[in-house]
Amino acid sequence: MRIIIAEDELVERKAMRKFIEETFVDMEVVGEAMNGRKAVELAEQLEPDIMFMDIRMPGVNGLEAIEQISAKHKRIKFILVSAYDSFEYAKEAMRFGIKDYILKPGRRQEIVKTLLRVSKEIHQEQQSDLQSQVLRKEQLLDRLMHQSDSRGIKELKGQLFPDMETACFFVIKATGDHNLEDYEYQLKTVLSSKACIFKSIPSEQVIVNCIFSVNKLIKSDLLVLARKVHLELGEASYIGIGNPTANMDQLAHSYQNAYRACIDLFADRNRNYGFYQGKIKDKQTDEKINTICILVEQGKQEEVIVFFKNHESELTGMDKEELYIQLIQLFARHGVEKPKTLVTSLQSSQDWYSYLHLCCMQMRDYFASKRSIHLAKTFMNEHFHENLTLEQVAAEVNLSPNYFSNLFRAGVGSTFIDYLTQIRLQKAKELIETNNYSLKEISFMIGYKDPNYFSRVFKKHVNQSPKQYQQAILRK
């Protein structure tokens, strides 16, 4: 921990410094300030974890210094030091979230307890920040792979890689006896100097890696890097490289090309790393693949299998791999979980029939659930004023209550009760604004038989009672 001591009395400063450095092996006093102005300057230069701050110092006092420092450095923890046991000082300090207050001369035991408590809080925050960063990286990688939520991508990229100039994807396939954990550990070792995000996909024995660089990446550099990765991972690895780009919206194409390259390299077994070479496809082949994807999206399993049987002989192995990739992208666009079938397991015609059958089932279930949710929401919007229950709405869409409850929460993002409450309160606001009905009448009109209960629900969600909301409307 890095500590600054801000204290106008030299003897007090030196005594505090000596005590801290002799007592704690993991704490270092990196600076001393004799007044508030100097404390602000040192906080900017040294970025400490903890600052001991005397309240009464010449010029800028301790509280004023804390206010200036806190505006820029939210993470710094302050321990107030004062010769005055004043409630007013403590109350003022609470505005900045400061809970630690030591009276001079501070007893050693009290200082030790305070530092240990603050140190523990800092460690917990750092651990929380680390977990949050891991989660944000996972979110960014998923969105880049599937080209979803452009605004969210830009926000996450700005938080995690603000200086990024270029980025690209590597897709690495593990074969033989190696497991993905070994591969990922070796991969992180080779790329330790690079800003990267990793994701393992055990069902496909694949690791997806997005590399960010503050410099412009060029293909020759990436080939050299891929060779280093291959030498570390060994002959049983295949590394597909996506085209580098500075455009966030183009990174999904980098991932797709890296994935295609990885599949091609693994199928050919002639090289272990490289870019996607592409292939010349005639327009008819594109149309056949597109037709299959459309039929799968519509859930027409009999039609898609008949179509595939009729045209299978016209599709090469590479065409089928392209079909597999496009089906994966189809599921990703809809946010639907794809079947856990590897492209390498699709060897026979029967394998493909079973796979397409599974794809259609997944899509049918997805759209059926969307339709059920749409019907349920429509019914609730029409009957919100009645004594609606989850069981009643579930029966309306021919689903069991438990299944409907889980389906509704997943599809709408809120529980049945919360959604019903939103409908009722929105209608209540509209009726209040007309000023044609009493609040008691409105309570009955939106489905609440107890006006007092309606008032409590309204205040909980709107932060105003119905009466306060009505008065605010009338004042406008």
Side-chain angles (χ1 to χ4, degrees):
M1 294 287 166
R2 294 163 57 81
I3 299 173
I4 288 177
I5 300 172
E7 163 67 63
D8 62 337
E9 294 183 21
L10 177 63
V11 175
E12 289 280 353
R13 279 204 315 273
K14 296 302 179 184
M16 178 77 77
R17 179 178 198 135
K18 186 173 185 293
F19 173 67
I20 291 171
E21 292 182 340
E22 289 179 349
T23 307
F24 299 94
V25 295
D26 61 340
M27 295 189 185
E28 177 189 8
V29 177
V30 295
E32 298 178 24
M34 70 292 297
N35 55 52
R37 181 186 58 76
K38 186 64 176 177
V40 174
E41 291 177 4
L42 288 180
E44 186 70 30
Q45 295 169 13
L46 303 175
E47 297 184 356
D49 301 297
I50 300 170
M51 293 188 73
F52 281 88
M53 187 73 72
D54 188 9
I55 292 178
R56 286 198 171 181
M57 290 186 289
V60 177
N61 68 37
L63 292 175
E64 291 169 339
I66 289 172
E67 184 171 13
Q68 293 179 37
I69 295 168
S70 297
K72 289 186 178 181
H73 305 280
K74 306 291 185 186
R75 293 292 184 182
I76 295 178
K77 303 296 181 185
F78 296 94
I79 299 173
L80 287 183
V81 182
S82 177
Y84 304 92
D85 187 5
S86 170
F87 174 71
E88 286 304 316
Y89 286 137
K91 185 171 70 172
E92 183 70 13
M94 287 171 65
R95 288 201 302 122
F96 307 106
I98 299 166
K99 302 170 186 173
D100 296 286
Y101 191 99
I102 295 174
L103 287 175
K104 292 193 294 185
R107 289 180 298 178
R108 294 192 168 197
Q109 186 179 5
E110 183 182 5
I111 295 171
V112 168
K113 285 183 178 180
T114 301
L115 274 173
L116 288 175
R117 184 168 59 249
V118 174
S119 177
K120 182 180 178 181
E121 184 179 338
I122 291 171
H123 281 304
Q124 289 173 340
E125 287 181 1
Q126 289 173 343
Q127 188 63 31
S128 176
D129 287 345
L130 184 61
Q131 292 172 351
S132 174
Q133 187 179 56
V134 169
L135 180 60
R136 293 201 305 273
K137 284 185 175 181
E138 290 175 356
Q139 292 174 338
L140 176 59
L141 189 63
D142 282 335
R143 290 172 181 177
L144 290 174
M145 288 166 62
H146 302 133
Q147 200 172 352
S148 62
D149 187 9
S150 181
R151 180 180 296 177
I153 285 173
K154 289 177 181 176
E155 288 178 0
L156 286 169
K157 179 261 174 186
Q159 295 169 9
L160 297 167
F161 305 103
D163 300 322
M164 186 276 284
E165 176 70 24
T166 322
C168 78
F169 273 92
F170 275 20
V171 175
I172 301 99
K173 185 167 183 62
T175 62
D177 297 330
H178 291 78
N179 61 50
L180 287 188
E181 287 184 4
D182 292 339
Y183 265 51
E184 190 166 336
Y185 176 79
Q186 291 172 282
L187 189 59
K188 288 178 179 177
T189 301
V190 179
L191 300 175
S192 60
S193 63
K194 306 287 183 185
C196 300
I197 312 178
F198 301 89
K199 177 179 182 179
S200 295
I201 307 177
S203 62
E204 300 179 35
Q205 280 295 96
V206 156
I207 298 173
V208 177
N209 172 33
C210 188
I211 301 172
F212 295 86
S213 174
V214 294
N215 302 312
K216 185 176 181 181
L217 293 172
I218 57 176
K219 287 190 172 184
S220 59
D221 293 334
L222 294 172
L223 285 168
V224 170
L225 185 59
R227 174 173 169 75
K228 285 177 63 178
V229 171
H230 172 244
L231 289 173
E232 178 68 26
L233 301 184
E235 287 298 321
S237 62
Y238 295 89
I239 306 156
I241 312 170
N243 292 329
T245 178
N247 186 342
M248 286 281 110
D249 296 331
Q250 294 298 316
L251 272 173
H253 296 301
S254 180
Y255 164 66
Q256 292 159 14
N257 285 335
Y259 190 95
R260 289 184 175 107
C262 186
I263 289 176
D264 290 354
L265 292 165
F266 176 68
D268 295 341
R269 310 291 174 101
N270 292 325
R271 294 177 300 126
N272 290 84
Y273 57 89
F275 291 90
Y276 177 59
Q277 300 299 314
K279 59 184 185 293
I280 300 173
K281 294 187 303 198
D282 58 32
K283 188 177 179 181
Q284 290 182 337
T285 301
D286 281 339
E287 289 175 352
K288 292 181 182 70
I289 291 173
N290 190 47
T291 299
I292 293 171
C293 289
I294 290 172
L295 291 172
V296 166
E297 188 173 25
Q298 294 172 346
K300 297 180 178 178
Q301 65 186 50
E302 292 181 5
E303 291 182 36
V304 75
I305 290 173
V306 168
F307 185 89
F308 185 84
K309 283 181 178 179
N310 291 339
H311 298 281
E312 184 179 7
S313 61
E314 303 163 26
L315 299 174
T316 66
M318 297 291 283
D319 293 332
K320 290 179 181 178
E321 288 173 3
E322 177 67 22
L323 170 61
Y324 180 83
I325 290 170
Q326 291 204 21
L327 288 171
I328 288 174
Q329 293 170 359
L330 172 66
F331 281 97
R333 284 199 301 274
H334 287 293
V336 183
E337 185 178 355
K338 65 184 178 183
K340 301 184 185 301
T341 305
L342 305 181
V343 67
T344 52
S345 69
L346 301 174
Q347 300 296 325
S348 67
S349 297
Q350 189 58 50
D351 292 337
W352 272 100
Y353 303 156
S354 300
Y355 177 63
L356 292 171
H357 177 79
L358 279 173
C359 288
C360 288
M361 286 177 59
Q362 295 279 88
M363 277 296 171
R364 275 211 315 274
D365 288 347
Y366 167 69
F367 284 111
S369 65
K370 283 196 71 173
R371 182 173 181 276
S372 296
I373 291 170
H374 174 72
L375 291 173
K377 288 168 70 176
T378 301
F379 183 80
M380 292 169 73
N381 276 281
E382 292 173 352
H383 299 270
F384 66 89
H385 56 283
E386 300 172 10
N387 186 27
L388 276 186
T389 64
L390 183 144
E391 289 75 14
Q392 182 183 353
V393 180
E396 187 68 24
V397 294
N398 298 312
L399 295 174
S400 71
N402 282 342
Y403 180 72
F404 171 70
S405 177
N406 293 330
L407 185 69
F408 192 88
R409 181 192 287 269
V412 178
S414 65
T415 64
F416 168 82
I417 289 296
D418 286 343
Y419 186 77
L420 179 60
T421 301
Q422 289 171 20
I423 297 172
R424 286 173 168 173
L425 294 184
Q426 181 57 41
K427 187 63 179 176
K429 289 178 182 178
E430 294 172 5
L431 291 170
I432 289 173
E433 288 169 9
T434 64
N435 201 30
N436 292 329
Y437 306 96
S438 69
L439 295 177
K440 186 175 182 180
E441 288 173 322
I442 291 172
S443 174
F444 287 110
M445 291 169 72
I446 64 170
Y448 292 112
K449 304 307 178 188
D450 181 353
N452 291 326
Y453 178 69
F454 160 61
S455 181
R456 290 197 299 272
V457 172
F458 192 97
K459 187 169 185 178
K460 177 182 176 182
H461 290 271
V462 185
N463 295 322
Q464 287 181 303
S465 68
K467 187 69 175 176
Q468 290 170 329
Y469 185 84
Q470 185 183 52
Q471 290 172 344
I473 294 293
L474 293 174
R475 283 197 295 268
K476 292 182 180 178

